[in-house]
Amino acid sequence: MQTTKGSLVSRQYILPFILVSSLFFIWGFARSILDVLNKHFQQTMEITIARSSMIQATTYVGYFLMAIPAGLFLTRFGYRKGVITGLLLFAAGAFLFIPCEANGGFEFFLIALFIIGCGLVMLETAANPYITELGEKSTAASRLNLAQAFNGLGCLLAPALVGRFLLSPEGDGSVALPYSIMGAAVVCVALIFTRVKLPEIGKDNLKEEKNENVGATLLSLLKNRVFITGVGALFFYEIAEISINSLFINYVTSDGWLTPATAAVVLSFGGLGLFFLARVIGSGVMSKVKAEKVLIFCAVMTVIGSLAVILNLGIVSRIGLFSCYAFEAIMFPTIFAISVRGLGSATKLASSLLMMTPLGGAVGTMIMGTVADAVSISTSFAVPCCAYTIVLIYSLTRR
């Protein structure tokens, strides 16, 4: 057994670690609400699964289009200003839900979600690489998994808190209310970050980053096999994770097993609860076991779990669905940490490219929704199964 050595977080970076980890909670909460919105709009606007998947698609198109500008912004202005800008963009999109609800058009909500997506990618582009630098390189994957556990906590709470409200039998919950509360909370967090100084990790390279030719840096990244394969693996991981989350409520309600409101709670404390616990456990495991080995094992288990859902085996399929949440949990932070390892001054631009990968979630959700409408909800799980298989192939090349 190969072990990793070194403290998880350097002592002088404990406060920055706590503050930045809070951002993981924010975008976990925001992204998880999309899964509730998906079913809510199907009910209130009587739209198909494929059309409601535009909720995820629009948000993650925002990720794709804003990712590189976010990386350039961080390179020019640093992590703290990037975080504040991301929070304010998020708040602007959240407050737009008020006039959107008054207008009542589905397309107007998509515009607000696009702005939120732009804000979230700014936060993720800043926070993920920042966390990897707050200690020794040998513990980067474990440290990022621990921070990502806060993301899992946000994912866990959102469907339970918002789902019971929006997916009530009456179906008359105001969608603007939870977003208005989030907008106000995010503005408060932004104010805190204006008052707190975050150390600019790698500040000795800051001048180099600003003066370095972006085209040359991008070309060097495109020639880096470890980085490029990591981008591909994250793209397919996002296909699996986001599409499963998006159709979870549809799947567990399709045969009358659960009502939509109950399904939202089960998504929180069942699927996303397992996701949260697995990230906490994974952080501890990877402080002792090489991250690449853990990734291989988890990839195998997700392929098996998603295959069980496709085969429509009743309780076995349901167990397979929940096992996907447990074993996919460490994938994003682990692949991300491997991909940015040793990139130095190219890390911020590399992070922005990696944060384009949630577009995979938009693609996966739309394909999965189309298959679910045309064939069956269980058959549509072939989409995440294929995606997990590609992550498995990637993990085997990194062992």
Side-chain angles (χ1 to χ4, degrees):
M1 179 183 294
Q2 181 171 342
T3 61
T4 58
K5 299 179 180 179
S7 60
L8 194 60
V9 182
S10 297
R11 182 173 298 179
Q12 71 269 31
Y13 295 140
I14 290 177
L15 179 58
F17 178 83
I18 293 171
L19 290 173
V20 176
S21 292
S22 70
L23 302 176
F24 287 74
F25 177 89
I26 290 172
W27 78 65
F29 196 96
R31 288 175 58 163
S32 193
I33 286 182
L34 299 179
D35 308 324
V36 175
L37 282 185
N38 198 302
K39 186 65 176 178
H40 172 74
F41 284 132
Q42 288 172 33
Q43 292 180 336
T44 59
M45 297 185 178
E46 298 182 350
I47 57 178
T48 64
I49 296 175
R51 181 159 170 73
S52 70
S53 69
M54 288 299 296
I55 292 169
Q56 278 80 8
T58 303
T59 304
Y60 296 122
V61 164
Y63 268 70
F64 180 78
L65 295 178
M66 188 64 179
I68 290 180
L72 296 175
F73 185 96
L74 290 171
T75 299
R76 176 68 179 85
F77 298 105
Y79 287 110
R80 187 169 71 96
K81 290 182 180 179
V83 165
I84 294 170
T85 301
L87 290 169
L88 293 179
L89 278 171
F90 178 97
F95 287 131
L96 275 179
F97 266 67
I98 298 174
C100 286
E101 185 168 70
N103 178 276
F106 182 64
E107 290 74 16
F108 289 96
F109 284 108
L110 296 182
I111 293 172
L113 288 169
F114 175 81
I115 296 172
I116 288 174
C118 291
L120 293 179
V121 72
M122 182 73 79
L123 295 181
E124 295 199 47
T125 302
N128 281 299
Y130 192 79
I131 288 292
T132 65
E133 298 291 336
L134 297 179
E136 297 183 23
K137 291 182 179 180
S138 62
T139 57
S142 181
R143 184 165 51 254
L144 187 54
N145 268 281
L146 178 59
Q148 284 278 357
F150 290 92
N151 172 270
L153 182 61
C155 290
L156 184 158
L157 293 176
L161 295 177
V162 181
R164 297 290 289 183
F165 176 68
L166 291 182
L167 299 177
S168 63
E170 297 77 18
D172 56 357
S174 167
V175 73
L177 180 59
Y179 274 91
S180 298
I181 294 172
M182 281 194 297
V186 164
V187 169
C188 292
V189 175
L191 289 174
I192 292 173
F193 273 91
T194 64
R195 300 293 181 180
V196 176
K197 289 186 177 181
L198 290 180
E200 191 66 32
I201 304 299
K203 60 184 178 181
D204 293 338
N205 294 325
L206 192 56
K207 184 177 179 180
E208 178 187 347
E209 290 179 6
K210 290 180 179 179
N211 294 333
E212 192 169 283
N213 183 279
V214 174
T217 303
L218 181 59
L219 185 60
S220 70
L221 289 173
L222 294 177
K223 292 180 178 179
N224 186 320
R225 184 173 177 273
V226 173
F227 174 74
I228 288 299
T229 55
V231 171
L234 277 186
F235 180 84
F236 284 98
Y237 164 75
E238 296 283 13
I239 286 178
E241 184 213 340
I242 294 171
S243 60
I244 287 178
N245 285 344
S246 301
L247 270 71
F248 177 93
I249 295 176
N250 288 96
Y251 177 77
V252 298
T253 59
S254 62
D255 60 357
W257 179 40
L258 299 174
T259 65
T262 303
V265 176
V266 172
L267 172 59
S268 279
F269 298 105
L272 296 172
L274 284 170
F275 187 87
F276 167 68
L277 288 175
R279 275 197 169 159
V280 175
I281 294 170
S283 176
V285 170
M286 279 186 282
S287 68
K288 297 179 172 62
V289 182
K290 189 177 179 182
E292 289 84 347
K293 290 185 177 180
V294 179
L295 183 61
I296 292 173
F297 174 75
C298 289
V300 170
M301 297 306 294
T302 53
V303 171
I304 294 172
S306 55
L307 184 59
V309 180
I310 297 170
L311 295 176
N312 199 18
L313 302 173
I315 187 64
V316 174
S317 294
R318 291 170 186 165
I319 293 172
L321 174 62
F322 287 104
S323 71
C324 288
Y325 282 94
F327 292 105
E328 75 177 12
I330 60 93
M331 288 182 174
F332 181 92
T334 302
I335 297 170
F336 189 99
I338 292 171
S339 301
V340 300
R341 186 183 294 161
L343 292 182
S345 62
T347 298
K348 289 175 183 174
L349 184 57
S351 176
S352 69
L353 293 174
L354 289 166
M355 290 318 306
M356 295 174 76
T357 59
L359 182 66
V363 174
T365 301
M366 294 181 70
I367 295 174
M368 198 173 176
T370 301
V371 174
D373 285 332
V375 187
S376 70
I377 190 73
S378 58
T379 303
S380 71
F381 274 77
V383 175
C385 185
C386 291
Y388 285 135
T389 301
I390 292 173
V391 174
L392 173 58
I393 294 170
Y394 163 82
S395 67
L396 291 171
T397 68
R398 299 264 59 85
R399 58 181 176 176

